[in-house]
mmCIF file of all heavy atoms in Angstrom:
data_model
loop_
_atom_site.group_PDB
_atom_site.id
_atom_site.type_symbol
_atom_site.label_atom_id
_atom_site.label_comp_id
_atom_site.label_asym_id
_atom_site.label_seq_id
_atom_site.Cartn_x
_atom_site.Cartn_y
_atom_site.Cartn_z
ATOM 1 N N MET A 18 -16.685 57.359 137.414
ATOM 2 C CA MET A 18 -17.111 56.749 136.069
ATOM 3 C C MET A 18 -16.268 55.491 135.792
ATOM 4 O O MET A 18 -15.042 55.428 136.127
ATOM 5 C CB MET A 18 -16.773 57.750 134.940
ATOM 6 C CG MET A 18 -17.883 58.737 134.702
ATOM 7 S SD MET A 18 -17.540 59.851 133.267
ATOM 8 C CE MET A 18 -16.139 60.773 133.880
ATOM 9 N N VAL A 34 -11.070 66.745 119.680
ATOM 10 C CA VAL A 34 -10.403 68.027 119.787
ATOM 11 C C VAL A 34 -9.008 67.995 119.215
ATOM 12 O O VAL A 34 -8.471 69.056 118.860
ATOM 13 C CB VAL A 34 -10.341 68.484 121.301
ATOM 14 C CG1 VAL A 34 -9.164 67.902 121.985
ATOM 15 C CG2 VAL A 34 -10.341 70.013 121.390
ATOM 16 N N ARG A 40 -16.759 60.224 113.747
ATOM 17 C CA ARG A 40 -17.844 59.644 112.963
ATOM 18 C C ARG A 40 -17.425 58.993 111.692
ATOM 19 O O ARG A 40 -18.229 58.500 110.927
ATOM 20 C CB ARG A 40 -18.870 60.778 112.696
ATOM 21 C CG ARG A 40 -19.549 61.320 113.989
ATOM 22 C CD ARG A 40 -20.229 62.615 113.647
ATOM 23 N NE ARG A 40 -19.265 63.693 113.350
ATOM 24 C CZ ARG A 40 -19.588 64.920 113.139
ATOM 25 N NH1 ARG A 40 -20.816 65.280 113.087
ATOM 26 N NH2 ARG A 40 -18.649 65.781 112.809
ATOM 27 N N SER A 80 -10.026 55.382 138.518
ATOM 28 C CA SER A 80 -8.766 54.759 138.824
ATOM 29 C C SER A 80 -7.613 55.667 138.470
ATOM 30 O O SER A 80 -7.790 56.662 137.795
ATOM 31 C CB SER A 80 -8.599 53.421 138.117
ATOM 32 O OG SER A 80 -8.471 53.618 136.706
ATOM 33 N N ASP A 101 3.270 54.484 115.574
ATOM 34 C CA ASP A 101 4.423 55.068 116.226
ATOM 35 C C ASP A 101 4.037 55.858 117.515
ATOM 36 O O ASP A 101 4.901 56.324 118.209
ATOM 37 C CB ASP A 101 5.135 56.022 115.230
ATOM 38 C CG ASP A 101 5.787 55.304 114.104
ATOM 39 O OD1 ASP A 101 6.339 54.185 114.373
ATOM 40 O OD2 ASP A 101 5.746 55.818 112.962
ATOM 41 N N ASP A 119 13.304 54.083 113.777
ATOM 42 C CA ASP A 119 13.048 52.985 112.853
ATOM 43 C C ASP A 119 11.736 52.260 113.047
ATOM 44 O O ASP A 119 11.432 51.339 112.378
ATOM 45 C CB ASP A 119 14.182 52.015 112.857
ATOM 46 C CG ASP A 119 14.372 51.282 114.215
ATOM 47 O OD1 ASP A 119 13.536 51.600 115.088
ATOM 48 O OD2 ASP A 119 15.215 50.439 114.387
ATOM 49 N N ILE A 169 19.064 66.758 129.773
ATOM 50 C CA ILE A 169 18.680 67.039 131.216
ATOM 51 C C ILE A 169 19.111 65.911 132.111
ATOM 52 O O ILE A 169 19.691 66.092 133.178
ATOM 53 C CB ILE A 169 17.129 67.329 131.313
ATOM 54 C CG1 ILE A 169 16.776 68.637 130.630
ATOM 55 C CG2 ILE A 169 16.738 67.305 132.770
ATOM 56 C CD1 ILE A 169 15.312 68.853 130.449
ATOM 57 N N GLU A 182 34.607 69.813 135.754
ATOM 58 C CA GLU A 182 35.299 70.056 134.495
ATOM 59 C C GLU A 182 35.191 71.531 134.085
ATOM 60 O O GLU A 182 36.157 72.096 133.631
ATOM 61 C CB GLU A 182 34.738 69.159 133.398
ATOM 62 C CG GLU A 182 35.069 67.658 133.599
ATOM 63 C CD GLU A 182 34.516 66.809 132.477
ATOM 64 O OE1 GLU A 182 34.196 67.414 131.409
ATOM 65 O OE2 GLU A 182 34.467 65.557 132.640
ATOM 66 N N GLU A 289 6.502 41.462 92.085
ATOM 67 C CA GLU A 289 5.402 40.683 91.634
ATOM 68 C C GLU A 289 5.344 39.383 92.392
ATOM 69 O O GLU A 289 6.392 38.832 92.840
ATOM 70 C CB GLU A 289 5.511 40.420 90.145
ATOM 71 C CG GLU A 289 5.059 41.565 89.314
ATOM 72 C CD GLU A 289 5.129 41.253 87.800
ATOM 73 O OE1 GLU A 289 5.982 40.457 87.334
ATOM 74 O OE2 GLU A 289 4.397 41.929 87.014
ATOM 75 N N VAL A 351 18.693 54.396 99.654
ATOM 76 C CA VAL A 351 18.025 55.638 99.655
ATOM 77 C C VAL A 351 18.453 56.491 100.831
ATOM 78 O O VAL A 351 18.776 55.929 101.905
ATOM 79 C CB VAL A 351 16.448 55.463 99.701
ATOM 80 C CG1 VAL A 351 16.049 54.717 101.009
ATOM 81 C CG2 VAL A 351 15.725 56.816 99.641
ATOM 82 N N ALA A 355 16.926 66.808 104.429
ATOM 83 C CA ALA A 355 16.115 68.033 104.738
ATOM 84 C C ALA A 355 15.004 67.675 105.753
ATOM 85 O O ALA A 355 15.282 67.164 106.835
ATOM 86 C CB ALA A 355 15.515 68.623 103.518
#
Side-chain angles (χ1 to χ4, degrees):
M18 279 185 289
V34 83
R40 294 164 295 182
S80 68
D101 292 323
D119 63 1
I169 291 167
E182 290 183 15
E289 283 181 332
V351 61

